[in-house]
Amino acid sequence: MLDFRPLQLEDLPRLRPYFAYSGSRLCDTTPGTVFIWRDMYRTEYALWDNSLYFKVDYPGVGPTFTLPLGGGRLEQFRQIAEYCLQNKLPLRFVPVPKDELDRMLHFFPGSTAQADRDTFDYLYRSEDLKFFRGKKLSGQRNHVNKFLKTYGSWTFRTMTQADVPQVKAFLDRYAARWDKAAASFHEDIAKTHEVLDHFATYDLLGGILQVEDNIVGFSLGEIVGDTLFTHIEKADRDYEGCYQMLVAQFAQQFAHEGVHFINREDDAGDLGLRTSKLSYHPVTLLEKYTVTVDEPCKFCALAE
């Protein structure tokens, strides 16, 4: 039987290899996203037969399971169904990507699937974000050109351990300047500090945008498969075009050959963030579903 235990940061090096099995471009199946948000979602994990299982507690949803990493789906689903029956838990999966939905509904006849637009990831072609070519991205390109004309002495460079104190100081200024009441904002700031405090453990790709000697923005992300995931992105809006410049430079620096897409995660239902992410013209929105299984005991019997 699955034995779930709370996910701790020290588990990251040991569990990292399992994420190579995700086969998905969803941000939810990357080490960065799972570990950064582990406390907010009360994430627990279990290892069984070369597969990694996560149990999470989403606000307003309750205990759910992500799709396991590694192993075979039929046995994984049977293990989770049996765990739910023995612990008297509802059997739910979140998030289920669209390309897995038909297979899951086949495994669990009579189950229901519901999409949540607020959780959809924004996926872009890496070439689009590198240079903002073409008419549809002319607005973003104009912002970059404005930045270049206004701030002649600028640099973008890869973040190192030695940069962490300066980046943390910028983050504190950013948090004070743009403070929001939402709990997710404060969790985001706290976890960004955690990532910086444990820079080597997280092992994320980092980039710093400077004007003269001042940090005006930074990004942190990672590459899984053919996709660069942008997990953290902070910039000083007082510098016109700063965000667009940061997006382009981060893509140019890290979306090397073989990295065809960039995932800039969801908008969490924030209208301003949604408008901004749509303005970069994603190639697609990666749909995510909640799948609820009404009678998991039937599946357990069929899977024997």
Side-chain angles (χ1 to χ4, degrees):
M1 179 176 165
L2 298 175
D3 178 22
F4 284 95
R5 58 194 64 192
L7 185 66
Q8 306 292 340
L9 183 57
E10 54 263 32
D11 297 316
L12 177 51
R14 182 167 61 99
L15 300 182
R16 189 186 298 276
Y18 288 92
F19 289 88
Y21 294 103
S22 73
S24 170
R25 295 192 181 101
L26 294 186
C27 69
D28 308 79
T29 58
T30 64
T33 295
V34 170
F35 278 84
I36 288 171
W37 296 101
R38 70 186 187 281
D39 292 331
M40 174 165 277
Y41 296 137
R42 300 176 186 175
T43 304
E44 298 182 1
Y45 79 97
L47 291 171
W48 180 270
D49 194 24
N50 296 316
S51 293
L52 174 60
Y53 299 77
F54 289 114
K55 179 162 68 75
V56 296
D57 194 347
Y58 283 110
V61 179
T64 68
F65 299 85
T66 61
L67 294 186
L69 302 173
R73 280 283 184 256
L74 187 63
E75 178 59 23
Q76 290 170 345
F77 289 157
R78 187 176 72 82
Q79 289 291 332
I80 294 173
E82 288 184 348
Y83 177 87
C84 289
L85 285 170
Q86 293 184 22
N87 290 275
K88 298 181 179 179
L89 291 174
L91 179 51
R92 283 188 293 252
F93 293 90
V94 181
V96 177
K98 188 176 183 180
D99 58 5
E100 284 264 15
L101 191 58
D102 287 344
R103 180 160 58 156
M104 178 163 281
L105 296 179
H106 174 74
F107 279 141
F108 295 109
S111 57
T112 58
Q114 173 131 19
D116 182 358
R117 170 64 179 82
D118 293 349
T119 68
F120 290 5
D121 285 356
Y122 291 75
L123 190 72
Y124 305 83
R125 292 188 181 90
S126 57
E127 289 301 307
D128 287 344
L129 296 194
K130 284 180 180 180
F131 306 110
F132 300 136
R133 294 189 179 107
K135 184 177 180 180
K136 67 179 182 179
L137 291 168
S138 60
Q140 310 300 333
R141 191 167 61 251
N142 289 340
H143 282 296
V144 167
N145 290 335
K146 178 68 173 179
F147 182 95
L148 294 172
K149 290 177 181 177
T150 306
Y151 313 106
S153 180
W154 67 273
T155 58
F156 182 88
R157 57 188 173 81
T158 299
M159 188 187 304
T160 68
Q161 182 69 54
D163 295 312
V164 167
Q166 286 181 288
V167 176
K168 283 172 65 66
F170 170 82
L171 179 62
D172 286 336
R173 295 192 298 273
Y174 171 92
R177 178 78 165 82
W178 306 106
D179 188 20
K180 298 180 182 178
S184 59
F185 175 83
H186 295 281
E187 181 72 3
D188 174 62
I189 296 298
K191 285 303 182 182
T192 302
H193 271 295
E194 179 188 88
V195 171
L196 294 169
D197 288 336
H198 301 275
F199 191 68
T201 300
Y202 269 97
D203 195 26
L204 296 181
L205 304 170
I208 299 171
L209 180 64
Q210 289 190 211
V211 172
E212 296 180 346
D213 294 327
N214 299 316
I215 294 177
V216 298
F218 72 96
S219 295
L220 290 160
E222 62 189 322
I223 295 170
V224 179
D226 65 357
T227 304
L228 170 63
F229 293 83
T230 305
H231 295 313
I232 296 169
E233 185 180 78
K234 312 294 182 194
D236 187 341
R237 295 185 185 92
D238 291 336
Y239 288 81
E240 189 172 353
C242 192
Y243 264 108
Q244 291 80 8
M245 191 70 176
L246 185 61
V247 168
Q249 289 298 309
F250 191 68
Q252 289 177 34
Q253 182 75 15
F254 297 112
H256 50 65
E257 185 178 356
V259 178
H260 304 299
F261 299 98
I262 297 176
N263 182 319
R264 301 192 68 236
E265 304 195 345
D266 59 66
D267 59 36
D270 183 288
L271 182 59
L273 195 54
R274 180 169 298 184
T275 301
S276 173
K277 292 194 175 188
L278 287 172
S279 73
Y280 289 88
H281 292 277
V283 65
T284 190
L285 298 181
L286 298 178
E287 300 177 13
K288 303 179 188 179
Y289 293 83
T290 298
V291 173
T292 303
V293 182
D294 292 331
E295 298 183 81
C297 56
K298 288 184 177 180
F299 176 77
C300 289
L302 288 171
E304 292 292 344

